[in-house]
Amino acid sequence: MVMEVKWCGFDYGQCIMEPGGLRNPRLYGDLYRDLGRPELIPDKIRKYRILKEKYGSYGRIKEGHRDEIYSFVLDDDPEAIELFSEKEQELLDMGEGLEDALKYLQSEGIELQVVSEMKKTLGAVGTDIVSRFLKQRGLVEYFTELVTPQGKINLIDNSVDDKYKGYTKKDGTLYDVLAQELKERGIEPHEAVMIGDKPETDIDPAHERGFKTIKYTGFIDLGPSKADLEIHSFEEIKRILKKKD
Amino acid sequence: MLRPKAKKIIVQFDDGTQTESAFEDLTAHLQRELLKQPVLFDFNPDGDNKKFLLLEWKDGWKEVMAVDSTCREINRYYVITRPEDTGRLSLNREDGYPELIEIGREPLNLKQIGFVNNHEIALKQSDREGKKVDHFFSLKMNGDLLSTIVEGFRKALNEEGIEIKTLSMDTFRQSPGIYPKIARRMGIRAVERQQDVLDFMDYLARNATQEP
């Protein structure tokens, strides 16, 4: 199946960014060896795992309880907190084959944007964890804008367009605003495709608003969705997506 | 059986010098490692309130472990495959920070977890995340742990030729050699600390002698 599109949106977490390399022995091992306190490594790993049991997943801790990582695990040590954020960034991976796929899409002339359900800035806008990842990995070459419920962030000058503020992927309102903005640029929703892993935020609400949708299962398969297609590797994009004239 | 709390650790060198540290100043990991050693007593005594976790595998193997007495119930059990398998058992605790127990012995083949009640476990779903797979297990309650295990204790005593009616707790405690024999009969080993087996036998003896 070939999809002809003018615009392509990518989800961030577990799609552009894969957290598979973020292993606790590496994260806390590197951090506390750098701090010159390697004997604390087993205690810190254990505390972080206990926090995971308290909140259910590392994702939930990071979304809503990051302060507790600092207090319960890192003992509010400012040096450890700063290093934690640095190491965390270093250990995040990119989806396999992503960069090749982005090069291809750009060469086709397909417009690219990151569409992330980033409800809170983990850091100031523009230096938040998503923006930093995209900048540090050189992905700004492909994505100059990041659409989020906190606004549309320009990754070049860090300016924020408040048009999207308060709208979310989960309730679909963010896709309503996106569809309207694309229409103003002459792109209909059926000429746009959204790629992501989460049915409830990346696929189903976008599909219901007429966007084409591709579920990416390369990192995790989160179950049934309304996606038009499923891909396991970004390599597949090169034979699926073509520029619509 | 109340035991003293560890307060200080002293290391003596062969030149006659020595160094010492408050026990609580050691890392939590080192405290746990030291307290697994048979020469050291329990540093956080719960006395008669001590709580136990009994693990039972599909091949019949059983292991026991004393857990913090503030643990109330099982939160969840799951196994992470990376490709090595590691079991994670989480227990709800009063202070809000769960007790986390890692299970290394064939965690995918665990059959039952005894904590307050018996919980039969069955694979519910497996979720892949990159190169890792999380296997989540359902827990189905199957009677209370104490009555089942006390019954097993009585049976083991009987097989050893010991008549429980003739015994008191003092008899048990003055004959420590009985406990390892009964534990062997019951097929119970320690998860990581042999003292837990002896404490568990003591707990069972107390309950077995209290019942009519």
Side-chain angles (χ1 to χ4, degrees):
Chain A
M1 180 180 180
V2 172
M3 284 181 180
E4 293 195 340
V5 296
K6 293 179 177 172
W7 178 94
C8 180
F10 279 82
D11 174 44
Y12 170 72
Q14 299 175 162
C15 185
I16 290 177
M17 179 281 288
E18 291 192 352
L22 201 59
R23 299 283 313 273
N24 292 330
R26 175 78 194 279
L27 174 65
Y28 288 98
D30 285 8
L31 199 168
Y32 278 93
R33 283 185 187 99
D34 267 2
L35 289 175
R37 283 174 271 161
E39 61 281 355
L40 294 181
I41 295 166
D43 281 6
K44 300 301 175 185
I45 293 173
R46 183 172 168 77
K47 281 190 158 185
Y48 194 44
R49 287 177 179 158
I50 284 172
L51 217 50
K52 179 188 172 192
E53 292 313 307
K54 185 174 176 186
Y55 294 111
S57 71
Y58 292 127
R60 278 192 209 144
I61 304 173
K62 286 181 183 177
E63 264 187 25
H65 309 280
R66 205 169 171 87
D67 289 353
E68 221 168 322
I69 301 177
Y70 302 157
S71 59
F72 181 68
V73 185
L74 304 175
D75 300 325
D76 285 324
D77 172 358
E79 211 181 348
I81 292 169
E82 195 184 326
L83 258 183
F84 177 83
S85 299
E86 262 179 47
K87 300 282 178 199
E88 193 185 26
Q89 275 285 332
E90 276 173 33
L91 296 176
L92 298 176
D93 293 329
M94 254 197 288
E96 210 176 317
L98 175 71
E99 209 160 358
D100 273 356
L102 294 175
K103 265 186 199 147
Y104 162 77
L105 292 171
Q106 198 173 52
S107 69
E108 279 280 297
I110 295 170
E111 207 178 305
L112 301 172
Q113 272 181 324
V114 179
V115 184
S116 166
E117 190 80 316
M118 187 174 75
K119 289 182 189 160
K120 287 183 186 176
T121 41
L122 303 174
V125 167
T127 59
D128 59 88
I129 198 162
V130 182
S131 302
R132 269 195 295 157
F133 179 89
L134 296 170
K135 288 174 186 174
Q136 283 174 1
R137 306 301 160 111
L139 296 178
V140 179
E141 192 182 326
Y142 310 103
F143 303 109
T144 54
E145 287 177 335
L146 167 60
V147 176
T148 81
Q150 296 199 82
K152 185 167 72 175
I153 302 166
N154 184 307
L155 294 166
I156 309 294
D157 61 14
N158 292 338
S159 62
V160 182
D161 177 349
D162 284 345
K163 197 187 295 171
Y164 290 86
K165 211 158 194 169
Y167 299 109
T168 69
K169 286 164 75 174
K170 192 170 183 178
D171 67 18
T173 50
L174 188 137
Y175 293 109
D176 291 330
V177 181
L178 185 58
Q180 186 56 42
E181 194 183 15
L182 290 174
K183 267 183 196 172
E184 287 164 12
R185 300 212 303 267
I187 304 171
E188 292 297 319
H190 69 269
E191 295 172 320
V193 61
M194 180 67 205
I195 303 175
D197 65 311
K198 292 170 212 71
E200 62 173 18
T201 54
D202 303 325
I203 307 298
D204 297 350
H207 182 89
E208 283 157 14
R209 284 154 180 85
F211 285 80
K212 289 188 165 71
T213 48
I214 297 177
K215 191 173 108 178
Y216 172 67
T217 61
F219 184 74
I220 187 169
D221 187 347
L222 292 168
S225 75
K226 295 175 179 166
D228 299 297
L229 270 180
E230 267 191 36
I231 56 168
H232 190 70
S233 160
F234 287 118
E235 288 292 317
E236 297 173 60
I237 281 180
K238 290 194 257 182
R239 61 175 174 76
I240 292 169
L241 295 183
K242 302 279 178 223
K243 173 75 191 289
K244 186 171 195 296
D245 296 322
Chain B
M1 275 197 297
L2 284 169
R3 294 203 193 88
K5 181 177 174 176
K7 292 199 72 169
K8 188 191 284 186
I9 184 155
I10 301 172
V11 180
Q12 294 181 328
F13 299 93
D14 62 3
D15 65 355
T17 59
Q18 67 177 43
T19 183
E20 63 179 59
S21 164
F23 196 78
E24 63 182 17
D25 288 346
L26 301 175
T27 64
H29 174 73
L30 183 56
Q31 289 183 21
R32 278 194 305 276
E33 288 300 312
L34 283 169
L35 290 164
K36 281 182 206 167
Q37 309 309 311
V39 292
L40 289 176
F41 281 162
D42 193 340
F43 81 114
N44 183 20
D46 293 312
D48 288 349
N49 295 322
K50 193 178 274 293
K51 286 185 182 167
F52 296 92
L53 185 69
L54 184 67
L55 307 173
E56 189 174 344
W57 277 261
K58 288 175 184 167
D59 65 2
W61 187 272
K62 287 180 213 156
E63 292 180 9
V64 70
M65 182 181 196
V67 294
D68 189 302
S69 65
T70 64
C71 290
R72 294 181 291 207
E73 60 188 350
I74 299 174
N75 288 334
R76 63 175 177 172
Y77 177 64
Y78 62 104
V79 176
I80 300 173
T81 300
R82 272 189 187 280
E84 79 282 7
D85 299 326
T86 308
R88 295 244 177 104
L89 174 62
S90 155
L91 305 178
N92 187 328
R93 238 171 56 164
E94 279 171 13
D95 68 0
Y97 290 102
E99 182 77 17
L100 178 61
I101 294 150
E102 292 213 341
I103 295 171
R105 184 184 189 273
E106 295 196 46
L108 286 167
N109 287 322
L110 198 63
K111 182 179 133 196
Q112 183 160 286
I113 300 170
F115 182 65
V116 186
N117 292 297
N118 293 311
H119 303 263
E120 280 177 14
I121 65 169
L123 185 62
K124 189 169 63 178
Q125 69 181 70
S126 297
D127 298 334
R128 178 183 56 83
E129 266 187 32
K131 291 173 183 164
K132 152 182 110 137
V133 182
D134 286 334
H135 307 278
F136 293 95
F137 290 81
S138 60
L139 300 161
K140 187 180 159 199
M141 265 206 265
N142 182 22
D144 76 299
L145 171 66
L146 189 59
S147 57
T148 342
I149 202 75
V150 164
E151 197 49 47
F153 181 80
R154 288 207 178 99
K155 187 167 171 264
L157 277 181
N158 194 37
E159 286 165 1
E160 280 291 321
I162 301 167
E163 178 56 59
I164 196 158
K165 285 178 189 162
T166 65
L167 298 175
S168 66
M169 277 309 292
D170 286 342
T171 321
F172 278 111
R173 287 172 178 173
Q174 283 157 17
S175 315
I178 293 177
Y179 286 161
K181 277 187 193 168
I182 304 300
R184 266 197 302 277
R185 281 265 177 209
M186 296 177 74
I188 293 174
R189 294 91 171 169
V191 171
E192 56 182 15
R193 206 175 65 141
Q194 191 57 23
Q195 185 63 43
D196 289 347
V197 170
L198 305 179
D199 288 347
F200 188 52
M201 291 298 115
D202 196 66
Y203 166 75
L204 295 180
R206 184 160 24 91
N207 282 281
T209 51
Q210 274 172 7
E211 285 185 23

